[in-house]
Amino acid sequence: MAFAIPVLLLTLFGFALTLDVDNVPIVVWDQDKTQVSDDFVQKFRDSRYFRILAYCDSYPELEAYINRNDALMALVVPADYSKYFNRRDTASVQLLVDGSDSNTATIALGYVKGLVSQYNLELVINMLSSSSHNYNVTIDFRARAWFNPDLKSKNYIIPGLIAIIITVIAALLTSLTVAREWERGTMEQLISTPITSGELIFGKFLPYFMIGFIDILIAVGMAEFVFHVPLRGSLALLFVLSSLFLIGALMLGMFVSIATKQQLVASQISILATFIPAFLLSGFVYSIENMPLFIQMITFIVPARYFISILKGIYLKGIGLPYLLGDVALLSLFAFIAIFAANKKFKKRVA
C-alpha cells in the first residue's frame, strides 16, 4: 500500500487534475453573414483555445447548447456588423457565457478578451498602413512567461502533489505503528526491554523513513519520465529537503499514534491533520493570497506550504539554498517540534 498509493495518486491527479482551459466549446450565430463577419469568426476557428461546435440561427438554439452543457460560450455577430465596420465605427458583438463554473468561465473570458484585443490591433495597423500618412508604431509589446513558458498547470501541480503524497503517506503509516502495539498487547513486552524511549521511537521511525524515501524516488521518477515536468534545480538538494520534510511528517504521525493508542482513531486524525490542510491551505491548487486574511494566517502553521514552495522553486525556477533558507528554517522547526513532541509524549511505562 505504501508504494501503490503514491503511484495511484500521481496517476489520477497528474492526468485528471488540470487547470488548463483548452478547446473551449463555442457556438456561433453570424447574423451578418458577410466576409467581414466571417473574418472575425475565423479568429476563433484558428485559435487553439476555442472549438466551434456549431453554427446556429436563433437564440433558443444557442440556449439549448448551453443548457445541455455542450457549449460554454455563444458568440452572436449582429446583422449590421459589416455596416459599422466599413464606416470605421464601433461594432458591437455579443458573447454569452455559462458562468456556472466561474473559474473556467473567467479563464475563457480572458482568452476572448485577448483574441479581440489582438484583432483590434491588427485592424488599426492595417488601417494605418493603408493611409496616405506615414505612422510609426512605437510600442512592440512582447510578453514572456518565466519558469513555465507554456503555462501548463501540470508543471506546478505535480511538484505540489509530491508534497501531498509525502504528507499523507508518511503520517498515515507511522500513525498506526505504536497504536498497533498497544492494541495487540505487545507494547508491554517492548517496555520491559532495556531500550530507551528514544531508541524505541527511532526503531519504529527508521523503516518508514526508508519506505517514504522510496516513495519520493517514485514520485520524482514519475514526474520526470511520465509527466515530463522540468527539473531545473539540484536533484541532491531536492532529496535532502524532501528528507527533512519526511522526517517531520513521520514524527507527526508517530506523535498521533502515541497519543491515541488506537489505530482507527490515529488514522482518522492523521488524515484530518495532514491531507485536508495540505490540499486546501498549502497553495497546492488554491492561491493563498486570494484567501481571507484569517485563513491566510492559519496557513502559516501548515508545513506543506513551505515544502511546496521549496519544490516549485527547485523544479521550476532552479533556485538554490540561499533563496530557500526561510522555508528550510521553518521546515526544520516543524521537524524539531514533531520529534520533541513524539519523544515527550511517549512514556516507557504501562498506562
Side-chain angles (χ1 to χ4, degrees), residues 178-186 261-265:
V178 176
R180 183 167 54 245
E181 299 286 359
W182 283 111
E183 288 187 351
R184 292 180 176 178
T186 54
K261 298 183 180 180
Q262 297 181 26
Q263 293 186 78
L264 179 60
V265 177

Side-chain angles (χ1 to χ4, degrees), residues 216-228:
I216 294 174
L217 292 174
I218 292 173
V220 172
M222 290 186 66
E224 175 70 23
F225 300 107
V226 177
F227 300 104
H228 307 292

Side-chain angles (χ1 to χ4, degrees), residues 201-249:
I201 291 176
F202 181 75
K204 292 290 186 182
F205 161 83
L206 188 59
Y208 291 109
F209 177 82
M210 297 174 64
I211 292 174
F213 194 82
I214 294 174
D215 285 337
I216 294 174
L217 292 174
I218 292 173
V220 172
M222 290 186 66
E224 175 70 23
F225 300 107
V226 177
F227 300 104
H228 307 292
V229 177
L231 176 57
R232 298 188 173 95
S234 169
L235 184 62
L237 181 62
L238 173 64
F239 285 136
V240 170
L241 298 184
S242 297
S243 298
L244 177 62
F245 180 71
L246 178 61
I247 291 172

